[in-house]
């Protein structure tokens, strides 16, 4: 078997396991919480590793990752109307205070760099994953369809953009954002958006909790902000001079490579749901 075929097989198997795991975990509120809390912690760990290696930071990876789990726990509990949500928010606040005060004793070379990158990761990574249940969890129950729809739109947009870009880039060579991501084209982005709107129509046929117009708007928000999320992570990697954010997912790179689009799409979708509801 050639190296190309082995890479394709590895990438396909990894992608299949990832999709199955995400779909299965999303169907139940407890498994969804556990999955996304662990994803948040792993992504924070990866981000901290990159900053420590390439930006000469000294971020405490265990504490930074723990903070991601705590804020996810707090928001999931609060969304479900649990009484102990306040205690979890307090624990998260205590962890942030620790990250600040600990720099007094660590004798780091640049505590300001540690603070700025640590809290940037909490905003960029931990907060979006923590906010995810606000579109699906209420004291009345759990609705898995919106979380799954968000990821379906991300996957369809990525696949559609790749196919349209590969087939039509010679006919329509205009680049989307050449300075950051030379391979992305306008025709690919448009093709991905069109296919995602089709996916939104299909979901509307199965779930009428949103009107067709609301489903289409949902899809467009994911397309726009998911694309920006991809570009933001590409900008980060370009500055660091790396191709992949990690190697934890064979054939797919790191956690940031896999979840970059959702980091901007989740807050945007939440704002969209607040506006339309």
């Amino acid at each position: 078997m050639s190296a190309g075929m082995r890479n394709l097989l590895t990438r396909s198997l990894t992608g299949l396991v990832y999709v199955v795991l995400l779909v299965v975990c999303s169907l139940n509120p407890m498994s969804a919480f556990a999955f996304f809390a662990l994803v948040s912690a792993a992504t924070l760990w990866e981000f901290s590793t990159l900053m420590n290696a390439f930006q000469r930071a000294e971020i405490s990876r265990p504490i930074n990752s723990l903070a991601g789990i705590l804020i996810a726990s707090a928001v999931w509990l609060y969304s479900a109307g649990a009484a102990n949500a306040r205690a979890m928010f307090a624990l998260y606040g205590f962890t942030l205070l620790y990250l600040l005060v600990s720099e007094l004793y660590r004798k780091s070379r640049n505590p300001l760099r540690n603070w700025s990158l640590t809290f940037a990761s909490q905003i960029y990574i931990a907060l979006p994953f923590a906010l995810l249940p606000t579109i699906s969890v209420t004291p009345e129950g759990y609705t898995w369809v919106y979380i799954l729809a968000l990821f379906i739109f991300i996957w369809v947009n990525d696949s559609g953009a790749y196919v349209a870009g590969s087939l039509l880039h010679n006919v329509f060579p205009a680049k989307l954002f050449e300075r950051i991501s030379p391979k992305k084209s306008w025709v690919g982005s448009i093709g991905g958006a069109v296919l995602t709107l089709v996916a939104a129509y299909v979901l509307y046929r199965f779930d009428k909790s949103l009107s067709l117009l609301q489903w289409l708007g949902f899809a467009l928000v994911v397309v726009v902000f998911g694309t920006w999320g991809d570009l933001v992570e590409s900008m980060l990697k370009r500055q660091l001079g790396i191709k992949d954010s990690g190697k934890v997912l064979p054939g797919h790179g790191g956690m940031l490579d896999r979840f970059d689009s959702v980091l901007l799409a989740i807050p945007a979708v939440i704002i969209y749901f607040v506006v339309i509801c």
Side-chain angles (χ1 to χ4, degrees):
M1 184 183 296
S2 67
M5 285 298 296
R6 284 198 300 271
N7 182 63
L8 178 61
L9 181 60
T10 300
R11 183 177 176 85
S12 300
L13 288 175
T14 303
L16 179 61
V17 171
Y18 159 66
V19 170
V20 170
L21 187 61
L22 190 148
V23 171
V24 171
C25 288
S26 296
L27 299 179
N28 177 274
M30 288 303 298
S31 60
F33 157 70
F35 178 81
F36 290 110
L38 290 174
V39 165
S40 177
T43 309
L44 286 163
W45 186 283
E46 180 180 272
F47 180 90
S48 302
T49 301
L50 290 173
M51 295 304 108
N52 290 350
F54 293 97
Q55 293 295 303
R56 296 186 299 169
E58 295 173 286
I59 299 173
S60 174
R61 293 181 297 178
I63 302 300
N64 199 31
S65 298
L66 174 63
I69 293 176
L70 290 175
I71 186 60
S73 303
V75 178
W76 279 81
L77 290 170
Y78 178 81
S79 299
N84 53 349
R86 292 178 62 188
M88 201 60 67
F89 277 115
L91 280 175
Y92 178 66
F94 176 81
T95 305
L96 297 185
L97 289 174
Y98 169 82
L99 289 169
L100 285 168
V101 175
S102 64
E103 291 298 333
L104 292 170
Y105 302 94
R106 296 180 66 198
K107 299 180 181 180
S108 300
R109 292 169 297 180
N110 195 327
L112 184 58
R113 180 184 290 125
N114 297 340
W115 284 340
S116 59
L117 291 174
T118 298
F119 286 98
S121 70
Q122 289 296 309
I123 295 171
Y124 175 46
I125 297 168
L127 189 59
F129 282 121
L131 290 175
L132 194 55
T134 62
I135 64 172
S136 60
V137 181
T138 67
E140 288 73 38
Y142 172 74
T143 304
W144 55 268
V145 66
Y146 299 139
I147 288 180
L148 199 53
L150 189 155
F151 281 92
I152 288 173
F153 292 154
I154 291 287
W155 298 332
V156 171
N157 183 50
D158 287 347
S159 300
Y162 177 79
V163 172
S166 298
L167 294 176
L168 301 174
H169 73 280
N170 289 328
V171 181
F172 304 101
K175 299 297 183 180
L176 177 67
F177 218 111
E178 189 169 9
R179 178 173 63 88
I180 300 298
S181 187
K183 292 184 179 181
K184 281 186 169 51
S185 64
W186 274 103
V187 68
S189 296
I190 294 171
V194 170
L195 196 60
T196 307
L197 291 176
V198 173
Y201 174 75
V202 173
L203 286 174
Y204 165 72
R205 300 294 297 177
F206 286 94
D207 187 287
K208 300 294 180 68
S209 59
L210 299 177
S211 69
L212 176 58
L213 190 61
Q214 289 171 331
W215 271 113
L216 295 176
F218 183 2
L220 283 176
V221 168
V222 173
V223 166
V224 173
F225 285 88
T227 300
W228 277 337
D230 193 331
L231 290 170
V232 164
E233 199 243 355
S234 295
M235 180 176 64
L236 184 151
K237 291 191 294 184
R238 184 168 289 272
Q239 181 172 343
L240 298 181
I242 58 176
K243 180 181 178 182
D244 297 321
S245 65
K247 298 180 180 179
V248 68
L249 300 172
H252 289 262
M255 300 297 291
L256 278 170
D257 295 321
R258 184 68 273 174
F259 292 96
D260 54 359
S261 298
V262 301
L263 294 178
L264 266 65
I266 290 171
V269 167
I270 291 168
I271 294 171
Y272 174 73
F273 271 71
V274 169
V275 170
I276 69 168
C277 295

